[in-house]
């Protein structure tokens, strides 16, 4: 049981390049989400998914796309990278139990856009 | 618009004493609150949560208190241990999976 895995751990992009951050979970959770963390700020929700084929925008969705074709995978795409997207990105998978839930986070991807 | 605020960026306590981390929120629709602990170069780790129908939840050395009228929650760690040194985030949710986080408080527990 690997939990939530993210690849790559580090990435440097040039402005205008595109890339996909990978996220996978093996806990069969329906809910998955992507956050970014910037210095002096908490995690901000980019996009989330409540199940395969269903995605929705979070607090800061601009410049990012997501899809959810399987329960296990939730990739985050940057279509045209900008320096403002330099950040640490965390993927999370959520376990729900009645009215309570717990989020499990991946180790993060540190992205630098030059 | 920061809906969840942790006004103390850092806190230092002596080993064995109580650590109290505070969090305020503005959105009265939030109905679920969580605390996370984060070490450098790792993802946040879930610690403890509380539903808005409760005012207290305990798990071992960790207790979360919720004061809905004041829109305030706090995390108490007793006794504090050096291994508790980390950044602590509070988070709140109005609907499942749409979570808003505070900026974090760096806790240092001195031996």
């Amino acid at each position: 049981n690997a939990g939530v895995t993210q690849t790559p751990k580090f990435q440097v992009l040039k402005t205008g390049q595109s890339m996909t951050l990978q996220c996978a979970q093996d806990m069969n959770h329906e809910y998955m989400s992507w956050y970014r963390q910037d210095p002096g700020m908490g995690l901000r929700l980019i996009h989330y998914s409540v199940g395969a084929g269903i995605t929705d925008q979070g607090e800061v969705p601009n410049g990012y796309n997501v899809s959810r074709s399987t329960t296990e995978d939730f990739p985050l795409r940057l279509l045209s990278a900008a320096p403002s997207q330099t950040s640490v990105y965390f993927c999370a998978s959520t376990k729900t139990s009645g009215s309570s839930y717990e989020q499990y986070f991946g180790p993060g991807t540190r992205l630098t856009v030059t | 618009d920061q809906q969840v605020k942790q006004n103390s960026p850092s806190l230092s306590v002596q080993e064995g004493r109580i650590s109290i981390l505070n969090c305020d929120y503005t959105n009265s629709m939030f109905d679920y609150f969580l605390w996370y602990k984060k070490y450098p170069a790792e993802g946040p780790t879930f610690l403890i949560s509380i539903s808005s129908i409760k005012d207290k939840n305990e798990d071992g050395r960790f207790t979360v208190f919720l004061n809905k009228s004041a829109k305030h929650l706090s995390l108490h760690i007793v006794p504090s241990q050096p291994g508790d040194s980390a950044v602590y985030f509070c988070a709140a949710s109005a609907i499942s999976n749409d979570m808003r986080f505070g900026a974090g408080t760096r806790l240092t527990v001195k031996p």
Side-chain angles (χ1 to χ4, degrees):
Chain A
N1 189 335
V4 180
T5 57
Q6 290 182 238
T7 55
K9 287 192 186 303
F10 302 95
Q11 182 70 49
V12 179
L13 289 178
K14 294 187 176 174
T15 298
Q17 287 185 316
S18 63
M19 80 159 293
T20 299
L21 279 64
Q22 301 292 343
C23 174
Q25 54 98 1
D26 59 2
M27 297 173 281
N28 203 32
H29 293 164
E30 291 295 325
Y31 294 170
M32 295 184 74
S33 44
W34 276 102
Y35 295 85
R36 59 178 288 173
Q37 184 188 15
D38 300 297
M41 302 185 73
L43 282 75
R44 290 184 293 168
L45 182 65
I46 303 171
H47 285 285
Y48 65 97
S49 169
V50 298
I54 307 170
T55 64
D56 205 347
Q57 296 182 349
E59 191 180 353
V60 288
N62 293 340
Y64 308 95
N65 274 0
V66 292
S67 60
R68 184 94 179 274
S69 56
T70 66
T71 299
E72 293 78 20
D73 300 298
F74 190 42
L76 177 72
R77 280 183 288 278
L78 282 72
L79 301 175
S80 178
S84 61
Q85 293 179 305
T86 293
S87 188
V88 181
Y89 292 84
F90 292 100
C91 177
S93 173
T94 303
K95 170 186 175 183
T96 58
S97 175
S99 60
S100 69
Y101 52 95
E102 300 174 11
Q103 274 190 320
Y104 298 89
F105 284 84
T109 295
R110 184 174 295 275
L111 175 68
T112 302
V113 183
T114 61
Chain B
D1 174 26
Q2 198 165 5
Q3 299 183 36
V4 178
K5 296 180 183 179
Q6 293 177 257
N7 292 319
S8 297
S10 63
L11 174 68
S12 181
V13 300
Q14 208 66 35
E15 181 179 6
R17 307 293 290 267
I18 184 171
S19 294
I20 301 176
L21 297 111
N22 293 303
C23 181
D24 297 295
Y25 62 95
T26 58
N27 188 342
S28 57
M29 299 299 292
F30 287 144
D31 61 2
Y32 204 75
F33 305 88
L34 305 91
W35 282 95
Y36 293 85
K37 175 179 179 179
K38 186 180 181 303
Y39 293 117
E42 295 183 9
T45 302
F46 169 77
L47 267 180
I48 191 168
S49 63
I50 187 167
S51 164
S52 60
I53 63 174
K54 295 186 176 182
D55 54 20
K56 178 182 174 182
N57 189 26
E58 280 182 86
D59 184 1
R61 296 186 297 115
F62 302 93
T63 303
V64 57
F65 295 92
L66 175 62
N67 182 334
K68 289 188 292 292
S69 61
K71 294 191 178 68
H72 177 83
L73 67 154
S74 61
L75 174 68
H76 292 209
I77 306 173
V78 184
S80 301
Q81 300 172 355
D84 295 330
S85 296
V87 177
Y88 289 78
F89 292 98
C90 70
S93 174
I95 59 173
S96 183
N97 215 50
D98 185 6
M99 202 87 64
R100 301 301 165 103
F101 282 75
T105 297
R106 181 177 301 279
L107 173 66
T108 303
V109 180
K110 297 180 179 178

